[in-house]
């Protein structure tokens, strides 16, 4: 685990799961993330948790990470560069994709990890797809309410346009290649892992169109894909349903 520079214990809401804030190397930056390890010496699958949002929106929540670890995984959730005292600046699935790639390698080299799954929520969906394309050995990939098309995000989310122009350097009209670089659909033929798509059909943060486009593209390429659409739900599922979906998706992962 040579990427780890520093590891510091963090209070865990579950006595059976150890939490640590990890400082790790990504490019030449020191980036931080949250690591959850079930206690003991047992070998588990790794679970790379790729958060949504940017900066303080969509921060990694310890309770959520522990929830996935409790299903029998060693979970690592990068905060992405520039967050929570990490170096550098996020650029919305541009260079900061390396933070996800390095985090995947970190899990792969963990002495108690046998294989690694990738999970992305919201903006993390793009990160997850890019990571699965980069690492064909990933056991599976799940995108939940996930972005798959950056052009579509720009078109749909007027409230994000200023941020996107600032971070990406301009509009899709002016810099189509920068948006294409951030849109995994353009290189999805390289993806090898089985994919599970979870999306609320009433999602207004990331429309279900992102899921439909991804599913259509994967099916056209004869890739292994399963989709769970939830008719009445938005970007956030009610707690009881959420817990059930977490169990179902982790069971799905274990079968891959």
């Amino acid at each position: 685990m040579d990427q780890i520079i520093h590891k510091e214990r963090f209070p865990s809401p579950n006595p059976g799961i150890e939490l640590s804030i990890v400082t790790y190397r990504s490019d030449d930056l020191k980036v931080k993330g949250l690591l959850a390890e079930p206690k003991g010496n047992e070998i588990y699958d790794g679970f790379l948790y790729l958060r949504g949002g940017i900066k303080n929106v969509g921060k990694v929540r310890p309770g959520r990470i522990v929830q996935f670890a409790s299903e029998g995984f060693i979970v690592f959730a990068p905060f992405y560069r520039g967050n929570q005292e990490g170096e550098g600046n996020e650029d919305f699935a541009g260079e900061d994709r390396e933070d996800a790639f390095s985090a995947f390698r970190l899990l792969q080299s963990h002495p108690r990890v046998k294989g690694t799954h990738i999970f992305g929520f919201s903006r993390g969906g793009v990160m997850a797809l890019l990571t699965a394309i980069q690492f064909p050995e990933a056991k599976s990939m799940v995108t939940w309410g996930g972005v798959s098309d950056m052009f579509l995000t720009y078109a749909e989310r007027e409230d994000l346009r200023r941020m996107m122009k600032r971070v990406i350097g301009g509009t899709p009209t002016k810099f189509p290649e920068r948006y294409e670089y951030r849109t995994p659909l353009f290189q999805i033929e390289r993806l090898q892992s089985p994919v599970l798509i979870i999306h609320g059909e009433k999602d207004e943060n990331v429309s279900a169109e992102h899921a439909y486009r991804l599913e259509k593209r994967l099916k056209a390429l004869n890739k292994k894909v399963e989709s769970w659409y939830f008719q009445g739900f938005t970007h956030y599922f009610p707690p009881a349903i959420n817990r059930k979906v977490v169990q179902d998706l982790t069971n799905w992962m274990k079968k891959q």
Side-chain angles (χ1 to χ4, degrees):
M1 293 175 77
D2 52 350
Q3 280 109 330
I4 293 188
I5 299 164
H6 183 68
K7 189 176 171 185
E8 188 181 328
R9 289 290 292 276
F10 188 83
S12 172
N14 179 330
I17 310 279
E18 215 163 85
L19 280 184
S20 315
I21 299 271
V22 167
T23 307
Y24 70 107
R25 207 171 289 290
S26 174
D27 291 329
D28 49 2
L29 299 171
K30 290 176 188 166
V31 181
K32 294 184 183 257
L34 189 64
L35 179 67
E37 301 163 294
K39 287 188 177 159
N41 303 314
E42 213 181 312
I43 305 287
Y44 294 97
D45 272 352
F47 185 112
L48 175 61
Y49 180 99
L50 297 166
R51 55 162 282 202
I54 187 164
K55 299 282 177 222
N56 288 329
V57 177
K59 269 163 74 164
V60 171
R61 301 199 320 276
R64 187 65 167 160
I65 304 310
V66 164
Q67 195 182 8
F68 282 108
S70 307
E71 298 292 335
F73 293 91
I74 288 177
V75 185
F76 186 53
F79 299 154
Y80 308 144
R81 54 190 59 187
N83 290 318
Q84 287 161 270
E85 295 167 18
E87 295 174 349
N89 279 301
E90 265 184 288
D91 60 355
F92 222 56
E95 299 304 306
D96 60 12
R97 65 185 63 187
E98 187 54 49
D99 305 347
F101 298 172
S102 299
F104 184 88
R105 291 186 202 102
L106 184 153
L107 274 172
Q108 287 289 71
S109 66
H110 191 293
R112 289 172 57 205
V113 166
K114 52 174 188 274
T116 300
H117 304 266
I118 303 168
F119 172 89
F121 178 70
S122 197
R123 167 262 174 114
V126 168
M127 302 293 271
L129 285 160
L130 293 168
T131 308
I133 289 165
Q134 183 74 12
F135 298 97
E137 68 272 27
K139 288 183 85 171
S140 76
M141 196 220 91
V142 177
T143 172
W144 185 340
V147 171
S148 67
D149 186 331
M150 244 358 145
F151 292 93
L152 186 59
T153 298
Y154 188 89
E156 289 177 341
R157 293 289 302 268
E158 279 181 44
D159 58 325
L160 293 183
R161 282 180 198 164
R162 261 183 64 192
M163 178 277 289
M164 289 177 83
K165 280 191 285 206
R166 185 185 78 245
V167 170
I168 298 170
T171 66
T173 321
K174 203 170 175 187
F175 296 108
E177 70 290 349
R178 293 184 187 179
Y179 284 78
E180 196 171 306
Y181 176 62
R182 289 167 170 80
T183 298
L185 297 177
F186 288 100
Q187 37 176 336
I188 209 85
E189 61 284 345
R190 287 171 46 210
L191 188 128
Q192 301 296 327
S193 321
V195 176
L196 172 62
I197 299 169
I198 303 169
H199 220 104
E201 293 191 334
K202 287 199 162 70
D203 194 331
E204 287 179 4
N205 295 48
V206 179
S207 75
E209 180 60 31
H210 285 269
Y212 304 148
R213 285 183 186 186
L214 175 60
E215 181 184 29
K216 189 178 166 190
R217 195 78 190 85
L218 288 167
K219 282 187 168 162
L221 292 161
N222 291 315
K223 301 289 185 188
K224 207 173 160 193
V225 58
E226 199 174 312
S227 306
W228 301 349
Y229 294 114
F230 291 83
Q231 241 178 338
F233 298 152
T234 63
H235 202 49
Y236 304 101
F237 289 22
I241 309 280
N242 201 314
R243 282 193 294 274
K244 174 85 173 82
V245 176
V246 165
Q247 281 171 345
D248 292 346
L249 82 83
T250 49
N251 283 335
W252 177 87
M253 280 179 168
K254 288 169 188 172
K255 289 186 188 127
Q256 304 311 312

